Amino acid sequence: MASPANPLPHSGAGVPPSSFEEATYRKVAWRLTPLLMLCYVVAYLDRVNVGFAKLQMSTDLHLSDAVYGFGAGIFFLGYFIFEVPSNVILHRVGARVWIARIMVTWGIISMLTMFVTTPTMFYVMRFLLGLAEAGFFPGIILYLTYWYPAHRRGRMTTWFMTAIALSGVIGGPVSGFILKSFDGLNGWHGWQWLFLLEGLPSLVVGVLVFLVLDDGIGKAKWLTAEERQLLESRITHEDASKEDLPIGRVLASPRVLLMSLIYFSFVMGLYGVSFWLPTIIKSTGVTDAFAIGLLSAVPFAAAVVAMVLVARSADHRRERRWHVALPAAAGAVGLVFSVIWAHSTVLAMASLTLATMGILTTLPLFWSLPTAFLAGTGAAAGIAMINSIGNLAGFLSPYAVGWLKQATGANDSGMFMLAAFMVLGGLLALSVPARLVSK
């Protein structure tokens, strides 16, 4: 075991890590990953529970599919406006305070959504929710670069992003149960209880983040001096090969713009499925809210397994591009067959499961591409820009699907559109030079 007086050897490509290094990274993973996953579960639940609320609130508030789609998507306009500033602030003031602030404010706004009575109020609350949450996801991606080198970050990012799938596994049945069991209690509709009860965990977890999250390796008192030295040496070694460019140059970089377009394509698929999955399942003939919630958990449960296995393969082989492109193609196939087999609940669910597995698997592995060449404040701005531009698809996707469904009377056109974007994203990922991202 190396002492603080002697430099620790770098574990680069072809150099097997020591047992001390593996034990140190396991220690870090067990400290950070459960908390970060918990944060994202409650974040994603507050973001997409509107998909379940729609099952009742569309009737109660007389919202058309186009109005719902616009309201679901306007979240991302608020998100876009404050994304880059929020991430730069996080880089400067620290993750502990800023992530806690984000979680508490979005929890409050999500809960207040229970009081909307008109389409305009619905739009305003969704927009404010996006402003409140801006910076959370790119902030966590940036935060992981403080702890992990590229060849370890793919797996850690995947574990963090399995929270999307877990929120579907947990949120589907819970949301369906709330809609069915709480409807009418205290004179409130089920969808009002949904926003209230699913907003509360964000407040609790936000306080927890403030109490236990460390801003970086240097402030982690639970690490020994040797462990801190090892972790810092790995990050220093990797950062030496990156450029910490001025924010202006990063935002105008062709590489960053390419990454933004790739991510935009994948997010089109993600939110098309996330916001419309309950409605699609209902269209196959399932009408009970709790049954819809249970069925919606199936694709996300399968996605957890796919995400972990593919990420493990990518880190082991130190290959990113094909591990992004092939799941994207699988997601596209699943989307296409979900409408071809829409007459059968079983076949449609099998197709939606394949689509969800493919779409969710692309996302964490995508983030191993830009973080391989961005560093410092430039990384904070670049990651935020990629995420904010990509998440404009979160506005366009549900709105476009809703508009196409209303115009055609079926889900077919919307799902075909999402499939095309998944194929485009996969092809663009393959266009990224392998030397740039193979670390």
Side-chain angles (χ1 to χ4, degrees), residues 69-79 122-124 126-127 130 394-395:
F70 183 79
I74 202 173
F75 166 95
F76 295 98
L77 293 185
Y79 204 80
F122 179 50
Y123 297 157
V124 169
R126 291 292 296 176
F127 179 79
F395 167 72

Side-chain angles (χ1 to χ4, degrees), residues 263-275 335 355 359 393 397 417-419 421-422:
Y263 195 54
F264 181 94
S265 300
F266 293 153
V267 173
M268 284 292 291
L270 171 65
Y271 287 112
V273 170
S274 297
F275 285 125
L335 288 169
I359 292 167
S397 182
M417 175 195 68
L418 300 181
F421 273 102
M422 293 303 299

Side-chain angles (χ1 to χ4, degrees), residues 300-319:
F300 291 104
V304 172
V305 178
M307 292 168 77
V308 172
L309 292 179
V310 176
R312 181 179 298 173
S313 172
D315 277 358
H316 176 71
R317 300 172 189 275
R318 301 204 178 193
E319 196 287 322

Side-chain angles (χ1 to χ4, degrees), residues 48-125:
V48 303
N49 60 7
V50 69
F52 283 94
K54 174 187 179 291
L55 297 175
Q56 290 181 353
M57 71 185 299
S58 289
T59 301
D60 293 338
L61 302 183
H62 308 291
L63 305 180
S64 68
D65 283 336
V67 168
Y68 162 74
F70 183 79
I74 202 173
F75 166 95
F76 295 98
L77 293 185
Y79 204 80
F80 176 81
I81 291 170
F82 198 46
E83 188 86 320
V84 172
S86 179
N87 224 36
V88 173
I89 291 171
L90 181 147
H91 185 60
R92 291 176 178 171
V93 306
R96 181 176 68 94
V97 170
W98 200 245
I99 295 297
R101 191 283 304 165
I102 290 172
M103 297 192 68
V104 170
T105 52
W106 94 50
I108 292 171
I109 293 170
S110 181
M111 292 164 66
L112 291 175
T113 306
M114 69 181 289
F115 296 113
V116 304
T117 57
T118 66
T120 299
M121 291 177 66
F122 179 50
Y123 297 157
V124 169
M125 295 309 295

Side-chain angles (χ1 to χ4, degrees), residues 245-392:
L245 299 173
I247 292 176
R249 285 185 61 189
V250 169
L251 300 184
S253 165
R255 288 177 180 174
V256 172
L257 293 175
L258 173 62
M259 295 295 164
S260 300
L261 182 55
I262 296 171
Y263 195 54
F264 181 94
S265 300
F266 293 153
V267 173
M268 284 292 291
L270 171 65
Y271 287 112
V273 170
S274 297
F275 285 125
W276 287 95
L277 182 61
T279 301
I280 294 171
I281 294 174
K282 185 177 181 180
S283 70
T284 67
V286 182
T287 56
D288 182 77
F290 184 57
I292 292 173
L294 289 175
L295 286 174
S296 70
V298 174
F300 291 104
V304 172
V305 178
M307 292 168 77
V308 172
L309 292 179
V310 176
R312 181 179 298 173
S313 172
D315 277 358
H316 176 71
R317 300 172 189 275
R318 301 204 178 193
E319 196 287 322
R320 312 294 171 190
R321 302 178 312 151
W322 284 101
H323 283 82
V324 171
L326 292 179
V333 171
L335 288 169
V336 169
F337 278 98
S338 72
V339 293
I340 292 176
W341 290 335
H343 61 282
S344 166
T345 299
V346 173
L347 293 176
M349 284 301 304
S351 302
L352 288 169
T353 299
L354 176 62
T356 306
M357 291 168 66
I359 292 167
L360 290 183
T361 298
T362 64
L363 298 172
L365 291 175
F366 161 80
W367 284 108
S368 64
L369 305 181
T371 55
F373 61 84
L374 292 170
T377 304
I383 291 169
M385 179 181 172
I386 292 165
N387 193 60
S388 61
I389 291 178
N391 273 291
L392 285 178

